[in-house]
Amino acid sequence: MMDVCPTSSSDLSETEEAEIEVIKQHRTELLEDIQKLKDEIAEVFAEIDLFQQSQSSKLIQRDKILSTGRKKFNMDPTKGLQYLAEHKVLSSDVQDIARFLYKGEGLNKTAIGDYLGQRDPLNLQVLQAFVECHQFANLNLVQALRQFLWSFRLPGEAQKIDRMMEAFANWYCQCNPGVFQSTDTCYILSFSIIMLNTSLHNPNVKDKPPFERFVSMNRDINDGADLPEPLLRILFDSIKNEPFSIPEDDGNDLTHTFFNPSREGWLLKLGGRVKTWKRRWFILTDNCLYYFEFTTDKEPLGIIPLENLSVRKVDDPKKPNCFELFNANCKGQKIKACKTDGDGKVVEGKHQSYKISAAVPEERDLWIEAIRTSISRDPFYDLVAARKKKVASKK
């Protein structure tokens, strides 16, 4: 058997040896190119990792800024929006601001209502854009109001309520042409529905209005004509069967209660059990009088609901410029109020009246006027009466 010997270089011609050298060179170059590609791919992946880390860091930073901005908004809406705009998280465009408020993520509904109710030109533009974020087409008025009143909390000031409900009525009529003769009709009926909701579902209201009274309330509001009773029946039954769901903000932070108080300032209050005068910071808002030890306190020392109370000037031998909160209908009865005792517990107040002293007569008179306004004010009825008067004048 013959051995097979490998071909020696001497067995190859010069041409063949040259071709093999060329192949070896191509192989070396190809391996180098492959390594270069591997290095380039590794660099690309490294850049992708850095980019993703950078984006992740930016998102984390953006979320932090957004969270801080929301907290600032809940304390002061204008400053919160300015902070978000300065940090490029929210533009100053009216539509962007409106959508931000409409989504409402992490935002206090009272703060939204407070901002939308302001009369500055920017706030009015945002209010209009905010209202137009709502889709009211083919909804009856109660359905539209349910959606609208869930997106914020109506402020207490009559002028703010008027602007917001005016914008609502205009947009509803644009979305549902032909339902009402004018936006005034929609405006008046909207308030009638809100008041009906309170009358039907407030446990303190004993006289529940029947359907006939609701019809009577809304006579001649459709440019001098009556609205169809079948329409009013649908709206009445809807509210009767299901009250409005009013958004509730976090009750643990009373700061939001004190947006735009009717009045605030230092006064002296005469103690109940121990008759000593103590300096307290008073805030009047939402038909309640709150008093604090310091202006920076978040929790009040006491709360005096003003419902069924009266206020008057009184004289005191030890302090000038006094006024008194009292119950004119139930003399000798304790006022329904609460305060914090020495152990930090909330207890019922023991006052039959509250005697308070101001620094000067003018300040006392301003407090009395503000408290009387707060006790007697019902902005819904006032606004409806004013609009009905306007409609009647057109006849």
Side-chain angles (χ1 to χ4, degrees):
M1 189 172 181
M2 294 177 59
D3 293 331
V4 178
C5 298
T7 305
S8 65
S9 59
S10 59
D11 295 330
L12 300 175
S13 65
E14 289 184 3
T15 302
E16 290 172 333
E17 287 181 352
E19 289 178 352
I20 289 174
E21 288 301 321
V22 170
I23 291 172
K24 287 180 179 180
Q25 183 64 31
H26 285 170
R27 178 177 177 275
T28 301
E29 292 174 354
L30 184 59
L31 290 173
E32 290 174 353
D33 288 342
I34 291 172
Q35 188 57 49
K36 287 180 180 179
L37 284 173
K38 285 181 178 180
D39 293 342
E40 290 175 2
I41 291 171
E43 288 179 7
V44 169
F45 276 114
E47 289 176 1
I48 291 173
D49 287 341
L50 287 173
F51 177 77
Q52 289 176 337
Q53 290 174 11
S54 173
Q55 290 300 106
S56 177
S57 177
K58 287 180 181 178
L59 287 173
I60 292 172
Q61 183 63 22
R62 184 182 185 279
D63 287 344
K64 287 182 179 179
I65 293 171
L66 192 55
S67 177
T68 301
R70 286 168 174 159
K71 290 177 181 177
K72 288 181 178 290
F73 178 91
N74 292 339
M75 297 300 296
D76 186 319
T78 300
K79 289 183 179 178
L81 293 176
Q82 287 174 348
Y83 174 86
L84 292 171
E86 289 169 0
H87 288 79
K88 311 299 182 185
V89 172
L90 181 69
S91 77
S92 56
D93 178 72
V94 168
Q95 298 295 332
D96 287 346
I97 296 173
R99 283 190 290 268
F100 176 71
L101 301 183
Y102 178 70
K103 289 180 180 179
E105 296 176 8
L107 301 182
N108 180 279
K109 296 294 180 77
T110 302
I112 295 174
D114 175 73
Y115 180 82
L116 293 174
Q118 301 293 338
R119 63 180 180 180
D120 291 341
L122 175 62
N123 298 68
L124 294 174
Q125 293 175 32
V126 173
L127 170 62
Q128 186 61 44
F130 176 84
V131 172
E132 292 177 7
C133 288
H134 295 77
Q135 302 300 317
F136 293 150
N138 301 316
L139 298 182
N140 69 39
L141 191 57
V142 169
Q143 292 171 327
L145 280 169
R146 288 190 196 281
Q147 183 188 134
F148 185 58
L149 296 177
W150 180 252
S151 59
F152 66 99
R153 291 196 73 177
L154 273 174
E157 296 88 341
Q159 290 182 336
K160 291 183 178 182
I161 296 172
D162 176 61
R163 285 191 289 271
M164 298 169 87
M165 295 307 295
E166 183 78 52
F168 166 82
N170 283 327
W171 182 238
Y172 181 84
C173 290
Q174 287 185 50
C175 293
N176 299 277
V179 174
F180 301 115
Q181 292 294 324
S182 70
T183 57
D184 287 332
T185 305
C186 182
Y187 177 98
I188 294 170
L189 186 57
S190 296
F191 276 115
S192 294
I193 291 169
I194 293 172
M195 291 186 289
L196 175 67
N197 179 79
T198 301
S199 299
L200 289 177
H201 299 289
N202 188 332
N204 295 323
V205 178
K206 306 304 180 185
D207 182 22
K208 304 299 182 185
F211 173 66
E212 291 72 21
R213 193 185 305 172
F214 181 64
V215 173
S216 178
M217 282 176 58
N218 294 290
R219 291 206 181 280
D220 303 327
I221 67 170
N222 200 24
D223 273 3
D226 292 341
L227 290 164
E229 281 202 17
L231 169 63
L232 294 177
R233 169 60 74 178
I234 290 171
L235 302 178
F236 181 89
D237 288 345
S238 179
I239 286 295
K240 184 177 181 180
N241 294 331
E242 183 184 354
F244 285 132
S245 296
I246 304 300
E248 293 292 338
D249 289 319
D250 182 5
N252 294 324
D253 188 356
L254 283 173
T255 306
H256 306 307
T257 305
F258 309 122
F259 273 129
N260 292 330
S262 302
R263 189 162 184 81
E264 59 184 339
W266 290 106
L267 297 168
L268 295 174
K269 184 183 79 69
L270 184 61
R273 185 171 56 85
V274 180
K275 298 297 183 181
T276 57
W277 291 92
K278 293 184 178 179
R279 188 170 184 256
R280 297 289 182 245
W281 178 257
F282 279 81
I283 291 180
L284 173 64
T285 185
D286 291 337
N287 205 30
C288 284
L289 193 60
Y290 300 82
Y291 57 92
F292 302 77
E293 185 173 4
F294 305 106
T295 58
T296 53
D297 290 347
K298 288 188 175 182
E299 302 288 343
L301 288 176
I303 304 173
I304 308 170
L306 297 175
E307 187 177 4
N308 300 321
L309 296 187
S310 299
V311 61
R312 64 189 174 192
K313 295 179 185 178
V314 291
D315 293 324
D316 186 271
K318 294 183 178 180
K319 293 292 177 184
N321 313 316
C322 289
F323 61 92
E324 182 182 47
L325 291 168
F326 66 102
N327 193 329
N329 299 321
C330 302
K331 293 183 179 179
Q333 184 176 347
K334 291 179 183 176
I335 293 174
K336 293 181 179 179
C338 63
K339 65 177 183 177
T340 305
D341 66 9
D343 297 325
K345 296 179 181 178
V346 177
V347 297
E348 186 178 358
K350 301 183 183 299
H351 287 264
Q352 294 180 8
S353 66
Y354 285 86
K355 188 177 285 187
I356 299 170
S357 171
V360 294
E362 293 79 10
E363 186 180 359
R364 174 201 59 197
D365 295 342
L366 288 171
W367 272 102
I368 291 174
E369 180 183 355
I371 290 171
R372 281 178 177 162
T373 301
S374 180
I375 291 171
S376 63
R377 180 184 63 190
D378 191 334
F380 288 172
Y381 284 95
D382 293 342
L383 291 168
V384 170
R387 189 56 61 99
K388 282 185 175 180
K389 185 176 181 181
K390 173 186 171 184
V391 171
S393 68
K394 292 180 179 179
K395 294 180 183 178

